[in-house]
Amino acid sequence: SGDHPLFCKLYGIEHVTTFDISYNAKVVMDLKTLALQHLTLNQYYEMQNSLWHNINVRYAAHTQDIFSKLSSEVQQYIDGMNGYLLFYNGRFRPERYQKYALQQQEFSKLKQIVHEPFDFIWSDVKKLKLKQSYDFIHLSNVCDFLPDVAIQKVLIKMLNHTNTGGSIVMLLHQKNDIHKVKDIVHDIQCDYP
């Protein structure tokens, strides 16, 4: 959605690479990074709320102010997806989560440090090909849709791209057997101290 990369930048991560199985994630991230430069914080919130359950992204609140600044590839994608919901995940409108959203000071800082879209790899996490190693890997609900054995393979692959002293954060929202997942992580930690 773009929030995780933005918060990574806020916390001092210099280079951020993103990935998602859905190209829509890149589109919303690119809209947010442009909105930082061209909108106020209130306009930014209005844009986010207007994008949710909107079948015409080009004319969502304030997107017309930044649409022409998007890459031609993203513009064509948005136009080609006109009539389809691109940003509707979640049961509640983004405004419901505003207390967790960017505050004015954070928004102002991001205006100073984020000037271009994040690197994006369009891939399923199981097929993700990383070319470098990272200090921090964030897997927010990425593994919710994988069987346990695939989670183990993904985590081992990520460990092979994590710098010494680095961290992997994995958030699970839909796993029923969290104890089984904890066992998987424990087994991996034993094999990869």
Side-chain angles (χ1 to χ4, degrees):
S1 67
D3 287 350
H4 296 303
L6 290 174
F7 280 105
C8 284
K9 291 298 284 184
L10 271 176
Y11 295 122
I13 294 177
E14 192 172 317
H15 178 79
V16 176
T17 302
T18 64
F19 75 93
D20 203 293
I21 194 169
S22 171
Y23 193 77
N24 295 350
K26 175 183 176 33
V27 174
V28 75
M29 280 191 312
D30 287 2
L31 284 167
K32 286 180 177 183
T33 55
L34 275 171
L36 284 171
Q37 296 304 315
H38 301 283
L39 302 179
T40 66
L41 181 58
N42 285 337
Q43 290 170 327
Y44 181 85
Y45 289 152
E46 289 169 1
M47 181 189 79
Q48 283 189 155
N49 285 313
S50 182
L51 287 170
W52 191 77
H53 276 279
N54 192 324
I55 61 170
N56 194 339
V57 170
R58 186 189 265 264
Y59 297 105
H62 307 292
T63 57
Q64 56 275 31
D65 299 337
I66 58 176
F67 189 85
S68 65
K69 295 167 180 53
L70 290 165
S71 71
S72 60
E73 179 182 281
V74 171
Q75 286 182 38
Q76 289 172 7
Y77 182 83
I78 289 171
D79 287 340
M81 295 299 289
N82 188 33
Y84 296 94
L85 293 172
L86 298 184
F87 316 117
Y88 65 96
N89 196 12
R91 297 184 336 211
F92 306 110
R93 298 184 70 78
E95 62 196 6
R96 178 150 182 192
Y97 303 102
Q98 197 159 334
K99 68 181 179 182
Y100 305 110
L102 296 172
Q103 300 302 307
Q104 184 61 57
Q105 185 178 3
E106 296 166 325
F107 187 79
S108 298
K109 182 176 180 182
L110 285 169
K111 273 184 179 289
Q112 296 172 10
I113 60 176
V114 176
H115 300 286
E116 56 190 41
F118 294 105
D119 291 340
F120 178 76
I121 302 169
W122 188 7
S123 176
D124 178 322
V125 68
K126 293 184 293 188
K127 298 175 185 169
L128 182 64
K129 297 199 183 329
L130 297 173
K131 298 176 184 167
Q132 64 189 63
S133 291
Y134 298 90
D135 293 324
F136 176 71
I137 295 178
H138 188 242
L139 303 172
S140 176
N141 79 317
V142 170
C143 295
D144 281 339
F145 308 100
L146 299 176
D148 294 340
V149 90
I151 292 173
Q152 185 174 16
K153 288 179 182 176
V154 164
L155 288 174
I156 290 169
K157 181 189 334 182
M158 295 300 157
L159 275 172
N160 290 322
H161 290 280
T162 305
N163 293 328
T164 302
S167 301
I168 298 174
V169 172
M170 179 178 68
L171 300 175
L172 295 170
H173 300 289
Q174 297 183 12
K175 279 287 175 197
N176 294 331
D177 191 353
I178 193 67
H179 299 291
K180 195 174 207 179
V181 174
K182 284 182 179 181
D183 289 343
I184 291 169
V185 171
H186 180 266
D187 291 346
I188 293 170
Q189 287 174 325
C190 290
D191 294 337
Y192 296 84

